[in-house]
Amino acid sequence: MLQKPAGQVRIYRNAEELALKSARLFARLADQYVVGSGRFTVALSGGSTPKAMLTLLSADPFVDTVPWSSIYFFWGDERCVPPDHADSNYRMASEALLSKVPVPPANVFRIPAENPDPQRAAEEYAATLTRFFVGEARATKTETAPLSNLPRFDLVFLGMGPDGHTASLFPHTTALQAGDQIVVANYVEKFNTYRITLTAATINNARNVTFLLAGEDKAEPLKCVLEGSYQPDLYPSQLIRPRNGSLLWMVDEAAARLLGDQHSAE
Ligand code: 6PG
């Protein structure tokens, strides 16, 4: 049964325009949440696509206008490498943005994925998120929604691989059945290694979830994820359906080339 696409899809001419529009989205939401609740909590994705956006945010007009001291940075997933390793998602974000803007180091919560015991790394990050979010939620309980043990990010950025994976939720892996765990260590056979990743439940508890996709190699999987039948074990990105939040797909024309014309060009 073909499924109704989840979320809104915005199509941009190319990766450059995608980077600029996503940087503006980040800045707008940061202002909105800092004014509204005094802070902005964001989980960054890894991979290559977000780098251009992060680089733009480290320069004018964003560097002097974004409320950096009230922004708290987290990650959606991490490779099991040290933070200075070339494959580290933390390193990419640090070099592209965090080392260039006045974010207090205490506001940066990277995944301790260098821990030789991936399970321990996942548990540690889950404890960090629980301390930061659930403790706070108890203290400032405003929303009607019953208290959840899950962190509620203001914004989660996601990418999608050519195999339809997102964060480190890969096809046919145990993390897809993680239930309401917060963070898990996920063994990824094709890489013969573990990844540390937020679960779909945690991502779906966010106020805003935004996918950033660019390039030809994303066209087939995007068509299947948005317009194909619901097969989350094959296309884990289909698991992303925020329970009480917004879902936005920001994609360039190359990635959107196979989509039906029900999706809008920005
Ligand atoms: C990672 C990511 C992963 C990424 C996709 C897309 O650690 O690799 O979090 O989910 O977002 O693989 O990667 P690209 O942006 O490089 O296409």
Side-chain angles (χ1 to χ4, degrees):
M1 179 191 65
L2 290 187
Q3 50 151 358
K4 200 170 84 38
Q8 192 196 359
V9 179
R10 290 195 197 141
I11 303 169
Y12 303 99
R13 275 171 300 150
N14 50 40
E16 292 68 34
E17 192 186 21
L18 171 66
L20 178 59
K21 296 285 184 166
S22 53
R24 288 186 180 151
L25 173 91
F26 178 99
R28 181 172 56 73
L29 290 176
D31 282 342
Q32 177 188 325
Y33 285 100
V34 169
V35 168
S37 64
R39 69 179 199 182
F40 179 54
T41 57
V42 58
L44 300 176
S45 73
S48 56
T49 309
K51 190 171 183 177
M53 171 190 70
L54 299 175
T55 305
L56 286 176
L57 285 168
S58 72
D60 290 336
F62 303 105
V63 65
D64 297 328
T65 55
V66 168
W68 298 110
S69 60
S70 304
I71 302 180
Y72 295 82
F73 288 91
F74 302 85
W75 277 261
D77 69 323
E78 186 59 281
R79 294 89 182 269
C80 289
V81 294
D84 58 358
H85 188 283
D87 293 347
S88 163
N89 290 339
Y90 163 76
R91 177 178 162 180
M92 184 275 278
S94 177
E95 289 176 350
L97 176 67
L98 301 174
S99 59
K100 300 175 181 166
V101 294
V103 171
N107 289 23
V108 178
F109 298 87
R110 71 174 182 81
I111 298 176
E114 69 275 20
N115 186 323
D117 177 348
Q119 191 49 44
R120 272 297 310 125
E123 288 160 6
E124 225 178 282
Y125 203 55
T128 298
L129 296 180
T130 301
R131 264 194 310 279
F132 183 93
F133 283 96
V134 179
E136 178 88 15
R138 280 216 174 77
T140 61
K141 182 167 179 359
T142 50
E143 295 177 45
T144 52
L147 260 184
S148 153
N149 74 316
L150 295 167
R152 184 159 163 74
F153 292 98
D154 296 323
L155 173 63
V156 174
F157 277 119
L158 294 173
M160 186 183 79
D163 60 359
H165 84 263
T166 190
S168 280
L169 302 172
F170 284 85
H172 312 297
T173 58
T174 56
L176 306 186
Q177 279 83 36
D180 65 2
Q181 292 181 74
I182 297 173
V183 183
V184 293
N186 193 27
Y187 183 71
V188 185
E189 195 156 354
K190 69 175 178 182
F191 300 140
N192 187 23
T193 184
Y194 280 87
R195 292 271 192 98
I196 311 301
T197 184
L198 297 182
T199 60
T202 299
I203 295 168
N204 285 333
N205 199 43
R207 293 185 177 86
N208 301 277
V209 177
T210 299
F211 278 90
L212 303 180
L213 271 67
E216 292 280 338
D217 64 340
K218 304 296 170 67
E220 282 286 339
L222 184 60
K223 173 85 172 166
C224 298
V225 165
L226 290 181
E227 299 175 1
S229 57
Y230 187 65
Q231 309 171 78
D233 209 41
L234 197 51
Y235 302 108
S237 293
Q238 289 181 324
L239 290 169
I240 306 308
R241 292 161 176 258
R243 266 188 306 282
N244 178 8
S246 75
L247 176 60
L248 176 62
W249 294 80
M250 301 179 78
V251 304
D252 72 354
E253 281 174 5
R257 73 179 170 77
L258 298 176
L259 293 181
D261 49 24
Q262 70 265 42
H263 305 298
S264 62
E266 172 84 355

